[in-house]
Amino acid sequence: MPNNIESYFKAAVSVDNVVFGFDQSGLKVLLIYRGAEPYRNCWALPGDLIQLDVDLNTSANAVLQNLTGLQEIFMDQIRTFGRVDRHPYGRVFTVAYFALIRIERYMVSAQAWAEQAEWFPVNEIPDLPFDHNEIIEYAKENLRQRIRKQPIGFELLSEYFTLTELQRLYESILDRELDVRNFRKKILSMDFIVETGMKQNAVTHRPAKLYKYNSEQYYKLQNSGYDFDL
Amino acid sequence: MPNNIESYFKAAVSVDNVVFGFDQSGLKVLLIYRGAEPYRNCWALPGDLIQLDVDLNTSANAVLQNLTGLQEIFMDQIRTFGRVDRHPYGRVFTVAYFALIRIERYMVSAQAWAEQAEWFPVNEIPDLPFDHNEIIEYAKENLRQRIRKQPIGFELLSEYFTLTELQRLYESILDRELDVRNFRKKILSMDFIVETGMKQNAVTHRPAKLYKYNSEQYYKLQNSGYDFDL
DNA sequence: CCAAAAGTGTTTAAATTACACCCATGG
DNA sequence: CCATGGGTGTAATTTAAACACTTTTGG
């Protein structure tokens, strides 16, 4: 380790959160409208520099809550981006985080220097500052990988959901169509979803059964590294 | 973004490299003996603070080369570790990197402030400073995941190898025994290894055929996200 | 009775698993 | 001729893939 140790302690670290949500119209990502420099008045990922007396993982939640009001969201690290020129104010490394939430379950409200917070369909993300477009691409790929290994889909749906909703979710993430019968067969053969006895109502077609997930079985499979290939 | 922006630019970032190698006696990790504070005279991962005018990925290679002489090694990022108290000199985030090399193909030589560089069997890693034991555990899990998705095993073997050597490699990474016939059937059915026509010599038993890998097919599979489950 | 989405089984093909004996070489 | 690891095939089971019609509701 060199003598001029001070010269190494001049970096900043930020967190950028890719929060995925899902509703009728498909898979979405949460962006904020920046009310602070740099890149004021641009849409961007909800991210910020982190305070140096807070653990990294804790910071990810703190930043997200500060900008969007979302709290107690399970977040997982994706990757760190560290090109020299990625931030105009100096050397800033950013650690990208990943989260899945049920859109209608949380109130998203722009806070602190975020002037707005909106859901953008994953295929209609505008040009973003920094390397945020690259981060989102990376997160999408990560989501695709992950959904094959863990039954994480439920984190994006309401508590009660139909099998068709679940299938549409898988289809948007995997970006291909799945066979109805094979999908239902496979999903039901794993025991982590159960009928609630309820049905949709006020729909103009045959009402679908509502299911919920069985959290015990869900966590058992999640921890056993279950292979959820569809 | 806050006013006292200077207070955020006081972090350092380091890179820690988990370099896996493989030989007759199994899977190994490269460690260095530290000749510099902090934790002078301890074994640790080859890692160092990074210079703030160098890209992150470039730094990973630079650090490894500086300490061990290894160059042009393909490295991939694993994860960033950022607990507040993980470094005694201040707030240091470390980005862990991952590499696979053929032990006998490279000369490893301790350089700069590294006093020694040695291969340690993965199951005999001593207590290491910082969070390096945690990083290695994380890297081992990462290696297990990765070997199911990509035929990366060859990066650890010599240019010419026997099927038994390849099987032993898989067994040490996956930490379970594999059936000889099924393993050979599956490996040979993918076209990325080919016979060389050569055999082992000077062995006291039936000499094994030597294979090498077919790089075209190898890259094709690697890019198609081939599922190499055994 | 029409529109719209829900729901349901079977057949075929492919992949995975389990399993035991003979072969080639050096000493 | 013995010890050592190299090398080979088949049958049974499991899993994945392809595919079309009937049901229930609201309007």
Side-chain angles (χ1 to χ4, degrees):
Chain A
M1 198 154 286
N3 301 330
N4 56 336
I5 193 111
E6 301 78 19
S7 73
Y8 290 86
F9 281 84
K10 291 183 176 165
V13 175
S14 65
V15 154
D16 282 305
N17 300 306
V18 183
V19 183
F20 288 102
F22 183 74
D23 66 13
Q24 297 71 18
S25 68
L27 195 62
K28 311 213 162 150
V29 174
L30 186 61
L31 299 181
I32 60 165
Y33 195 74
R34 294 176 62 94
E37 295 295 344
Y39 301 111
R40 183 176 194 138
N41 299 327
C42 291
W43 289 98
L45 287 172
D48 202 352
L49 297 182
I50 73 181
Q51 292 177 262
L52 298 184
D53 55 355
V54 181
D55 283 342
L56 177 58
N57 288 329
T58 311
S59 296
N61 278 288
V63 165
L64 184 64
Q65 182 173 356
N66 183 49
L67 294 171
T68 67
L70 290 169
Q71 51 187 303
E72 289 173 33
I73 305 287
F74 176 75
M75 305 184 72
D76 207 2
Q77 205 187 105
I78 309 174
R79 190 185 183 80
T80 296
F81 294 79
R83 274 208 305 272
V84 168
D85 59 358
R86 60 174 297 286
H87 197 293
Y89 286 10
R91 187 69 193 267
V92 179
F93 296 82
T94 197
V95 185
Y97 276 78
F98 171 103
L100 300 176
I101 76 171
R102 302 174 183 173
I103 290 182
E104 85 295 338
R105 178 165 161 183
Y106 294 92
M107 265 297 288
V108 175
S109 66
Q111 297 179 10
W113 54 266
E115 293 186 347
Q116 299 175 60
E118 294 276 351
W119 292 101
F120 284 70
V122 282
N123 296 321
E124 299 169 28
I125 304 290
D127 280 348
L128 303 178
F130 306 106
D131 40 14
H132 286 188
N133 291 99
E134 189 186 345
I135 292 174
I136 291 175
E137 280 310 307
Y138 206 88
K140 282 164 64 179
E141 181 54 32
N142 198 277
L143 176 58
R144 267 192 290 275
Q145 299 293 335
R146 226 178 258 237
I147 205 165
R148 294 164 161 278
K149 288 281 165 192
Q150 302 172 320
I152 52 179
F154 310 105
E155 320 228 5
L156 288 163
L157 296 174
S158 328
E159 183 175 3
Y160 305 119
F161 52 86
T162 69
L163 291 182
T164 304
E165 284 166 1
L166 185 60
Q167 184 174 345
R168 295 281 170 272
L169 171 60
Y170 272 85
E171 288 176 336
S172 16
I173 292 175
L174 298 174
D175 201 24
R176 66 190 162 93
E177 295 194 353
L178 301 170
D179 179 87
V180 189
R181 281 165 291 188
N182 293 339
F183 180 81
R184 295 165 101 93
K185 207 185 316 173
K186 182 135 186 183
I187 283 286
L188 292 172
S189 73
M190 313 165 185
D191 293 333
F192 53 75
I193 78 174
V194 295
E195 287 192 33
T196 60
M198 294 184 289
K199 292 188 173 185
Q200 285 181 316
N201 59 2
V203 289
T204 173
H205 54 75
R206 176 173 176 176
K209 291 181 185 169
L210 292 172
Y211 291 80
K212 64 177 180 179
Y213 75 87
N214 171 345
S215 44
E216 283 171 49
Q217 185 66 9
Y218 173 94
Y219 287 114
K220 199 175 350 167
L221 286 176
Q222 196 165 335
N223 294 330
S224 69
Y226 182 74
D227 192 2
F228 189 84
D229 234 323
L230 283 162
Chain B
M1 199 154 286
N3 301 328
N4 55 337
I5 192 113
E6 302 78 18
S7 74
Y8 290 86
F9 281 84
K10 290 183 174 164
V13 175
S14 65
V15 154
D16 282 304
N17 300 306
V18 183
V19 183
F20 287 103
F22 184 75
D23 66 13
Q24 297 71 21
S25 68
L27 195 63
K28 311 213 161 150
V29 173
L30 186 60
L31 299 181
I32 60 163
Y33 194 74
R34 295 178 61 95
E37 295 297 344
Y39 300 111
R40 184 177 194 137
N41 299 327
C42 291
W43 288 99
L45 286 172
D48 203 351
L49 297 181
I50 73 180
Q51 292 177 262
L52 297 185
D53 55 355
V54 181
D55 283 342
L56 178 58
N57 287 330
T58 311
S59 295
N61 278 288
V63 165
L64 184 64
Q65 182 173 356
N66 183 48
L67 294 171
T68 67
L70 290 169
Q71 51 186 303
E72 290 173 31
I73 304 289
F74 176 74
M75 303 184 75
D76 207 1
Q77 206 187 105
I78 309 174
R79 190 184 182 81
T80 296
F81 295 80
R83 274 207 304 272
V84 168
D85 58 359
R86 59 174 298 286
H87 197 293
Y89 286 10
R91 188 68 193 268
V92 180
F93 296 82
T94 197
V95 186
Y97 277 78
F98 170 103
L100 300 175
I101 75 171
R102 301 173 182 172
I103 290 182
E104 84 297 338
R105 179 167 160 182
Y106 293 92
M107 264 296 290
V108 175
S109 66
Q111 297 179 11
W113 54 266
E115 293 186 348
Q116 299 175 61
E118 294 276 351
W119 293 101
F120 284 69
V122 282
N123 296 321
E124 300 168 28
I125 305 289
D127 281 348
L128 303 178
F130 306 106
D131 41 14
H132 287 189
N133 291 99
E134 189 186 344
I135 294 174
I136 291 174
E137 280 311 307
Y138 206 87
K140 281 164 66 179
E141 181 54 32
N142 198 278
L143 176 58
R144 266 193 289 275
Q145 299 293 336
R146 225 177 260 237
I147 205 163
R148 293 164 162 279
K149 287 282 164 193
Q150 302 171 319
I152 52 179
F154 310 105
E155 320 228 7
L156 288 162
L157 297 173
S158 327
E159 184 175 3
Y160 305 119
F161 52 86
T162 69
L163 292 182
T164 303
E165 285 166 1
L166 186 59
Q167 184 175 342
R168 294 282 169 273
L169 171 59
Y170 273 84
E171 289 176 335
S172 18
I173 293 175
L174 298 173
D175 202 25
R176 65 189 162 94
E177 295 193 354
L178 301 171
D179 179 88
V180 189
R181 279 165 294 188
N182 294 339
F183 179 81
R184 295 164 102 92
K185 207 185 316 174
K186 182 135 187 184
I187 283 286
L188 292 172
S189 74
M190 313 164 183
D191 292 332
F192 52 74
I193 77 174
V194 295
E195 287 192 32
T196 61
M198 294 184 289
K199 292 188 174 185
Q200 286 180 314
N201 59 2
V203 289
T204 171
H205 54 76
R206 177 173 174 175
K209 291 181 186 168
L210 292 172
Y211 290 80
K212 63 177 181 180
Y213 76 86
N214 172 345
S215 44
E216 282 171 49
Q217 184 66 11
Y218 172 95
Y219 288 115
K220 196 172 357 165
L221 286 175
Q222 197 165 337
N223 295 329
S224 69
Y226 182 74
D227 191 3
F228 189 83
D229 234 325
L230 282 161

